[in-house]
Amino acid sequence: FSHQGNKGSRAKRTGKMIARTFLLLCVLAVSSYAFAVQQPAPFAARTTALKMTGGDALPPPVDLKPPAALYQGAVAAGAAKAAAPFGKIFKLGIVAGCHIAFGAYLAITVGGACPGIAQTNPGLQKIILGAFGLPFGLIMTLVSGAELFTGNTALVTGAVMEGKTTKSNLIKNWTASYLGNFVGSLILAYLAYKSGTLGAGPGAVNIATAKCSLPWDVAFVRGILCNWLVCMAVYMASGCSTMIGKMTAVWFPISAFVALGLDHSVANMFIIPLGMMRGAEISIAAMFTKNLIPVTLGNIVGGALCVMMPYGTTLGSWFQKKD
């Protein structure tokens, strides 16, 4: 009888647990519905309602522009950037430099602090380095309207070649955004150094030393390949109307260039000074001659020629006589 009594008591406890679980699920379901953001009616329903009331049907929402419109939108964005005053571009350049530096900061903190994974599974360590960091830095830059030199090498070049702005405006934009990016990167490098969040890890020193040990031509080519991907991210994101669309357009190319070990001049403006502050034996002259100069020139080629020229000669009017 005691055995049957134990079985009965266990059954009662099980029944109570099931009842409580069911009640909790009901409460969660009701509360989640109460606090849920109600989505607008489906497009088809709204269109039908408009037709029934005599209104015109709304055009379907477009998340990503078709190729021709995407190119024209990128050119228009480049023209607007080129028309801005030097001071405005410079200040927004500082913001962009800080954003990209935050991305590099996170990449070094996470992907740069995985020595065990780097030894046993270097491919996994590279994708960790790429996935956590620079993508969010570029997303902040694009969504907030900051001025990033590397993206401007594509957009403003397209505006010049389409006759929407002048070469002098291009020089103004590139100069102001580059200087602003450098200032912002240096500010974040100093703050990251003083924050003490990197601990005693050698990630920043090792990365900075490796970047300033490249042959000139290797740094140049890595700059081309890097900004090819960066400007494709900027180009595609400029044609997206939703946040999730922009994030998707940015995440894949940016995580790819970091995982591939390519060089971005603005990110290096943060990484190399930070490494120097933490003890890397790199002189200021070496930072420029061995990395920033060849990488910057490569970035220009990647943005202007590898990204914008193919679309400009097929979807635009590059090298055609303007009336």
Side-chain angles (χ1 to χ4, degrees):
F1 288 104
S2 62
H3 178 66
Q4 291 178 350
N6 291 335
K7 288 178 64 178
S9 61
R10 284 199 298 268
K12 288 181 179 180
R13 287 197 298 269
T14 303
K16 289 180 179 179
M17 290 178 62
I18 293 174
R20 290 172 181 173
T21 304
F22 179 76
L23 180 61
L24 178 61
L25 290 174
C26 291
V27 171
L28 290 174
V30 171
S31 61
S32 63
Y33 177 79
F35 289 100
V37 177
Q38 300 299 317
Q39 298 296 326
F43 173 74
R46 287 185 284 126
T47 302
T48 302
L50 282 170
K51 287 182 178 179
M52 292 178 64
T53 58
D56 295 330
L58 293 172
V62 178
D63 181 29
L64 179 63
K65 296 177 182 178
L70 179 60
Y71 173 75
Q72 294 301 328
V75 169
K81 288 176 174 292
F86 185 99
K88 179 180 179 180
I89 300 170
F90 176 74
K91 285 182 277 190
L92 290 175
I94 294 175
V95 174
C98 292
H99 289 168
I100 298 302
F102 266 121
Y105 186 12
L106 179 61
I108 293 172
T109 302
V110 179
C114 303
I117 298 177
Q119 289 181 356
T120 59
N121 194 339
L124 177 60
Q125 187 271 336
K126 289 179 180 179
I127 195 60
I128 293 173
L129 185 69
F132 294 95
L134 281 170
F136 104 85
L138 185 58
I139 289 168
M140 289 196 297
T141 298
L142 297 181
V143 172
S144 66
E147 291 284 348
L148 182 63
F149 165 77
T150 47
N152 291 348
T153 62
L155 301 182
V156 181
T157 299
V160 170
M161 296 301 293
E162 294 293 343
K164 304 299 183 182
T165 191
T166 63
K167 292 179 180 177
S168 61
N169 276 343
L170 178 143
I171 294 172
K172 174 194 66 179
N173 177 274
W174 285 9
T175 302
S177 59
Y178 193 87
L179 293 175
N181 292 168
F182 203 179
V183 172
S185 298
L186 291 176
I187 292 172
L188 250 292
Y190 179 74
L191 293 176
Y193 170 69
K194 295 295 290 183
S195 71
T197 57
L198 294 172
V205 173
N206 292 343
I207 295 172
T209 302
K211 288 184 175 295
C212 290
S213 301
L214 297 173
W216 203 94
D217 59 329
V218 173
F220 175 73
V221 171
R222 289 188 183 184
I224 294 174
L225 296 173
C226 170
N227 212 34
W228 194 334
L229 291 175
V230 171
C231 287
M232 280 307 304
V234 173
Y235 184 81
M236 293 187 296
S238 70
C240 297
S241 59
T242 65
M243 184 67 174
I244 191 64
K246 292 181 183 294
M247 291 173 65
T248 304
V250 165
W251 192 85
F252 287 99
I254 302 305
S255 61
F257 102 68
V258 179
L260 289 169
L262 305 177
D263 274 79
H264 187 261
S265 58
V266 180
N268 290 355
M269 292 173 185
F270 167 82
I271 294 170
I272 298 174
L274 177 63
M276 294 165 65
M277 293 176 194
R278 291 176 61 83
E281 296 182 358
I282 302 169
S283 66
I284 295 177
M287 175 178 68
F288 283 99
T289 59
K290 293 188 175 182
N291 187 272
L292 286 184
I293 291 176
V295 169
T296 299
L297 294 175
N299 287 167
I300 293 172
V301 173
L305 300 185
C306 297
V307 173
M308 286 305 283
M309 188 169 72
Y311 300 113
T313 54
T314 54
L315 302 175
S317 58
W318 285 35
F319 309 119
Q320 297 178 14
K321 291 183 177 180
K322 307 292 191 299
D323 294 334

